[in-house]
Amino acid sequence: MTPKKRVTIYDIAKRLNLTASSVSRALNNSIHVKEETKALIVKTAAEMNYKPNTLASNLRKGKSQTIGVVMPRINQNFFANVIAGLEEATYKRGYNLVICQSNESHQKEIQCVNTLINQHVDCIVISVCVEGDDYSHLQNVIDQHIPLIQVDRVVDSLDTLKVINDNEQASYDAVAHMIQQGYKRIGLLQGPQNMAIYRQRTAGYINALKDAGLPFIDELVVASALTRELGAISSRQLLNLPQPPDAIFASTSDFSALGVLEVATAMGFKVPDDLGICGYANEDFTEITSPSITTIDQFSYEMGKTVADLFFREMDNKGKEAVIAPRVISVRPKLIVRSSTRRVG
Amino acid sequence: MTPKKRVTIYDIAKRLNLTASSVSRALNNSIHVKEETKALIVKTAAEMNYKPNTLASNLRKGKSQTIGVVMPRINQNFFANVIAGLEEATYKRGYNLVICQSNESHQKEIQCVNTLINQHVDCIVISVCVEGDDYSHLQNVIDQHIPLIQVDRVVDSLDTLKVINDNEQASYDAVAHMIQQGYKRIGLLQGPQNMAIYRQRTAGYINALKDAGLPFIDELVVASALTRELGAISSRQLLNLPQPPDAIFASTSDFSALGVLEVATAMGFKVPDDLGICGYANEDFTEITSPSITTIDQFSYEMGKTVADLFFREMDNKGKEAVIAPRVISVRPKLIVRSSTRRVG
DNA sequence: TTGTATGCGTTATCAC
DNA sequence: GTGATAACGCATACAA
């Protein structure tokens, strides 16, 4: 069983006493080839089980019909959905996805980006990792004239197309809702403030308090409570205060909200009566805890599709040189009110 | 701002009064080049911001350093974890992943596979979709001498490397555990029996009953209850029987188990006292329902890594022609006992 | 240790 | 409408 070379357009040409050019044209459905021979070529190609070599084609054409994706984690709900959305939209256009995960490591992020550049991807879609503050690898992408699109976790200082959630508005909505439910001392679990998305959520929290005439109370704000465990620790700390909060907005994630719920329940607080809880991200499990957790849906799947659509729209407009206009597309997330904050009405 | 061509090894060569071959050798760290010039070349390459063209390199070498992945859904926990595991292992070896999702459509699966063949991927990893019974597109992959590895949902009749869960053993363990907990009338929510994995789970259930001397009761088995909704419907049906089951093994998924739990609770059954429940897949939420749900962990992340490791091992052995020996690697899943089945001890 | 020549499989630009 | 030829960027067999 010899390794058997793949059949090329030359093989087809030889068989039909034609040249490779005609075969190439026929297979690309060019109009400059007689319908009759075209049909013949297509038929024999199928018979010979011809598979085009995308590598060669792309090299020749100078493009890869491929979009590179760099995400911190590909098995986290939010990112997995973004990717799924991207995949759906790009597939329809015959594009492929090359996916890398940075694993929240700055070093690996750099390597991923470089790999994608080397692969000659037509576009790079990235959600940066928490770590790091030097973004020359991304500036490099821009300098190479490769369209760069940032999603969700974006670097403000880079002039690229950005697709983000309106984190501030969503957080505002969440806190306003809690206030409307009668909560008056609302605590905040905030994320690392070096990242824009978490700063925005904090801003929404502050504005909602201000607009309602409620004071901002420093001791009710806990930093960087990202996980379930940290959420638990933070909420224990908050609930042990002389004047504990009557609600907690876990702006970091639903996981931290879950930590809050567990601690609160263990400490004898009744949710939502003694304590209101709101998370962020609409993870599946928020629907099935008891009580179910109020949260914010980010339309992650749609965000992926939006990114792809934007890319294609720009491609179609600008022709070959897709210089994507830097701007910010803000997807407005939706507050999902559930039992953990429903006290009235 | 002209589109500015990328710098190639020729540009570097010209700058240094060398030839492209030397540059190529130097950048590939060949020993056949003076350390001195090598250093110089590497240095200037960096200065000129040279990015190798993987497309050209791969075309020349006849391989793409890329593994193609086809999964039914990339945003489902299990598959997302398999992909993440694959990614981790392949990344270490400098390989890339091209990921497609078949969206449970047979047609799309075929297209995905063909795209990957055209891309000259070095290996295709697939978990087939539920739909379809013609697997000529996969046979085609084998015929083209592209290593094919099947994961989890495998087609038995295809002679390929397969990495699966020992579904039968895991199901046996689950049911045996329930019996040991004193449950005597154990119902089964089974998946579509045209798929091997679901047949195996049913087999494990049957064997466990048999080994314990318990009768197989036909009316306690419900077909194709895959989702939460179907799980709910099926369990309502079971629990309304004159002689309802005292336990239900939701062999299809944790989602159906959740449906069971919700219906049971609503109908006034106490879990685990009146009714034991066991799911499948160890989804995150099973830990936080009340009561928490006993389930089976499939080590999805590890499965992904295993697949990659197997591929590389065979690659390293066989050299260029990675003809992977067809065999079955069975990863033994683990029963995670939680409150929903814990009656004694 | 370096240079020369050739080809990977396609497509694009000429000719005819 | 079809054929000949060059080029995409790189890697390698061979020569020097």
Side-chain angles (χ1 to χ4, degrees):
Chain A
M1 192 200 285
T2 89
K4 205 191 277 177
K5 277 187 46 182
R6 289 215 202 179
V7 11
T8 72
I9 51 174
Y10 278 94
D11 301 324
I12 301 175
K14 199 179 298 169
R15 167 94 77 105
L16 296 176
N17 272 324
L18 289 169
T19 75
S21 346
S22 293
V23 176
S24 173
R25 279 190 281 255
L27 294 176
N28 287 297
N29 206 14
S30 157
I31 46 167
H32 301 293
V33 52
K34 220 198 310 181
E35 279 303 331
E36 200 179 312
T37 52
K38 188 191 287 185
L40 180 62
I41 290 173
V42 169
K43 180 163 153 287
T44 14
E47 276 173 19
M48 298 176 73
N49 195 18
Y50 165 76
K51 303 281 178 189
N53 186 331
T54 321
L55 249 45
S57 171
N58 289 341
L59 173 61
R60 182 59 236 257
K61 290 193 292 196
K63 54 197 299 253
S64 63
Q65 296 269 106
T66 293
I67 293 177
V69 183
V70 185
M71 295 282 145
R73 295 237 128 87
I74 53 190
N75 55 347
Q76 269 181 22
N77 231 286
F78 176 79
F79 298 118
N81 280 324
V82 171
I83 295 173
L86 266 171
E87 206 279 340
E88 187 196 306
T90 52
Y91 174 77
K92 284 191 190 146
R93 295 279 298 241
Y95 273 66
N96 289 101
L97 248 40
V98 173
I99 298 175
C100 311
Q101 72 177 340
S102 63
N103 251 313
E104 299 285 11
S105 147
H106 187 66
Q107 267 313 309
K108 191 168 174 203
E109 181 176 298
I110 294 174
Q111 290 187 51
C112 290
V113 169
N114 281 329
T115 305
L116 294 177
I117 295 177
N118 298 349
Q119 297 254 50
H120 277 230
V121 294
D122 296 340
C123 171
I124 292 182
V125 177
I126 191 170
S127 197
V128 296
C129 67
V130 190
E131 208 182 285
D133 49 6
D134 174 21
Y135 294 106
S136 49
H137 58 302
L138 295 184
Q139 186 56 53
N140 199 354
V141 172
I142 301 172
D143 294 345
Q144 305 259 343
H145 300 97
I146 300 173
L148 179 66
I149 305 182
Q150 298 192 76
V151 192
D152 192 51
R153 299 196 197 160
V154 302
V155 181
D156 285 336
S157 60
L158 289 172
D159 255 359
T160 74
L161 187 50
K162 296 168 185 140
V163 177
I164 57 167
N165 267 281
D166 190 339
N167 285 281
E168 183 168 340
Q169 182 65 51
S171 300
Y172 183 97
D173 291 347
V175 176
H177 155 73
M178 293 168 103
I179 293 171
Q180 181 260 323
Q181 291 289 311
Y183 298 107
K184 292 189 164 47
R185 288 178 64 82
I186 302 173
L188 173 72
L189 306 192
Q190 70 181 3
Q193 295 295 294
N194 64 326
M195 291 200 49
I197 59 163
Y198 295 120
R199 280 201 304 278
Q200 291 154 6
R201 294 180 192 178
T202 299
Y205 165 83
I206 293 176
N207 287 340
L209 291 185
K210 194 165 62 187
D211 285 0
L214 289 177
F216 174 86
I217 304 168
D218 217 39
E219 66 174 8
L220 295 185
V221 177
V222 184
S224 292
L226 281 166
T227 63
R228 182 173 174 182
E229 289 70 26
L230 291 173
I233 294 171
S234 307
S235 55
R236 188 168 291 117
Q237 173 188 331
L238 285 174
L239 296 176
N240 276 325
L241 286 175
Q243 287 191 54
D246 59 2
I248 293 178
F249 175 36
S251 80
T252 48
S253 72
D254 284 327
F255 293 99
S256 61
L258 177 62
V260 175
L261 175 59
E262 289 172 333
V263 163
T265 307
M267 289 175 71
F269 286 81
K270 290 263 174 279
V271 178
D273 299 321
D274 305 338
L275 186 76
I277 300 175
C278 178
Y280 209 110
N282 197 19
E283 298 281 347
D284 288 342
F285 69 79
T286 51
E287 203 186 340
I288 59 170
T289 48
S290 7
S292 58
I293 300 176
T294 295
T295 185
I296 289 156
D297 190 286
Q298 303 177 275
F299 299 106
S300 41
Y301 195 89
E302 287 73 15
M303 282 183 82
K305 287 211 291 190
T306 302
V307 168
D309 290 343
L310 285 168
F311 169 68
F312 289 126
R313 190 178 314 160
E314 302 273 343
M315 278 287 283
D316 295 342
N317 288 344
K318 311 265 168 150
K320 291 210 160 190
E321 253 192 86
V323 179
I324 293 193
R327 62 199 157 109
V328 178
I329 308 293
S330 191
V331 175
R332 182 160 178 176
K334 184 165 166 237
L335 179 68
I336 313 279
V337 176
R338 297 216 183 84
S339 307
S340 68
T341 57
R342 201 144 38 195
R343 281 214 292 204
V344 297
Chain B
M1 191 200 284
T2 91
K4 207 192 273 175
K5 277 187 44 182
R6 289 214 201 180
V7 12
T8 74
I9 53 174
Y10 280 95
D11 300 325
I12 302 175
K14 199 180 297 170
R15 168 94 77 105
L16 296 176
N17 272 325
L18 289 168
T19 70
S21 20
S22 292
V23 175
S24 172
R25 280 189 280 255
L27 294 176
N28 287 298
N29 205 14
S30 157
I31 45 168
H32 300 293
V33 52
K34 218 198 311 179
E35 278 303 332
E36 202 178 312
T37 52
K38 188 191 287 185
L40 181 61
I41 289 173
V42 170
K43 180 163 153 287
T44 20
E47 276 173 17
M48 297 176 73
N49 196 20
Y50 166 75
K51 303 281 176 189
N53 185 333
T54 321
L55 249 43
S57 171
N58 289 341
L59 174 60
R60 177 61 234 261
K61 289 191 293 195
K63 54 197 298 250
S64 63
Q65 296 268 107
T66 293
I67 293 177
V69 183
V70 185
M71 295 282 146
R73 294 238 126 87
I74 54 191
N75 55 347
Q76 268 181 23
N77 230 285
F78 175 80
F79 299 119
N81 280 324
V82 170
I83 296 173
L86 266 171
E87 207 280 339
E88 187 196 306
T90 52
Y91 174 78
K92 282 190 189 146
R93 294 281 297 244
Y95 273 66
N96 289 100
L97 247 40
V98 173
I99 299 176
C100 312
Q101 72 178 342
S102 62
N103 251 314
E104 299 285 12
S105 147
H106 187 65
Q107 267 313 309
K108 190 167 175 201
E109 182 178 296
I110 294 174
Q111 289 187 49
C112 290
V113 168
N114 281 328
T115 306
L116 294 176
I117 295 177
N118 298 349
Q119 297 255 48
H120 276 230
V121 294
D122 296 340
C123 171
I124 292 182
V125 177
I126 191 170
S127 198
V128 295
C129 67
V130 191
E131 206 181 287
D133 49 4
D134 173 20
Y135 294 107
S136 50
H137 58 302
L138 296 183
Q139 186 56 52
N140 199 355
V141 172
I142 301 172
D143 294 345
Q144 305 259 341
H145 300 97
I146 300 174
L148 178 66
I149 305 182
Q150 299 192 76
V151 192
D152 192 51
R153 298 195 196 163
V154 304
V155 181
D156 285 335
S157 60
L158 289 171
D159 255 0
T160 75
L161 188 51
K162 297 168 185 138
V163 178
I164 57 168
N165 267 279
D166 191 339
N167 284 281
E168 183 169 340
Q169 182 65 52
S171 300
Y172 183 97
D173 292 347
V175 176
H177 154 74
M178 293 166 103
I179 294 171
Q180 181 260 325
Q181 291 289 310
Y183 298 106
K184 291 189 166 47
R185 287 179 64 82
I186 303 174
L188 173 70
L189 305 193
Q190 71 181 2
Q193 297 294 293
N194 64 325
M195 290 200 51
I197 59 164
Y198 295 120
R199 281 201 303 277
Q200 290 154 5
R201 294 181 192 177
T202 299
Y205 164 83
I206 292 175
N207 287 341
L209 291 185
K210 193 165 63 185
D211 286 0
L214 290 177
F216 175 85
I217 303 169
D218 216 40
E219 66 174 8
L220 295 184
V221 177
V222 184
S224 292
L226 280 166
T227 64
R228 181 173 174 184
E229 289 71 26
L230 291 173
I233 294 170
S234 308
S235 55
R236 188 168 292 118
Q237 172 188 331
L238 285 175
L239 296 175
N240 276 326
L241 286 175
Q243 288 192 54
D246 59 3
I248 293 178
F249 175 36
S251 80
T252 48
S253 72
D254 284 327
F255 293 99
S256 60
L258 177 61
V260 175
L261 175 58
E262 289 172 335
V263 163
T265 306
M267 289 176 70
F269 286 81
K270 290 262 173 279
V271 179
D273 300 319
D274 307 337
L275 186 76
I277 299 175
C278 178
Y280 209 111
N282 197 19
E283 298 281 346
D284 288 342
F285 68 79
T286 52
E287 203 186 341
I288 58 171
T289 47
S290 7
S292 58
I293 300 175
T294 295
T295 185
I296 289 157
D297 190 287
Q298 301 177 276
F299 299 108
S300 41
Y301 195 90
E302 287 72 14
M303 283 182 82
K305 286 211 292 193
T306 302
V307 168
D309 290 343
L310 285 168
F311 169 69
F312 289 127
R313 189 179 315 158
E314 302 274 342
M315 279 287 284
D316 295 342
N317 288 345
K318 310 265 164 145
K320 291 210 161 190
E321 254 191 87
V323 180
I324 293 192
R327 60 198 158 112
V328 178
I329 308 292
S330 191
V331 176
R332 182 161 178 174
K334 186 166 165 236
L335 179 68
I336 313 278
V337 176
R338 298 218 182 85
S339 309
S340 68
T341 57
R342 201 147 35 197
R343 281 214 293 203
V344 299

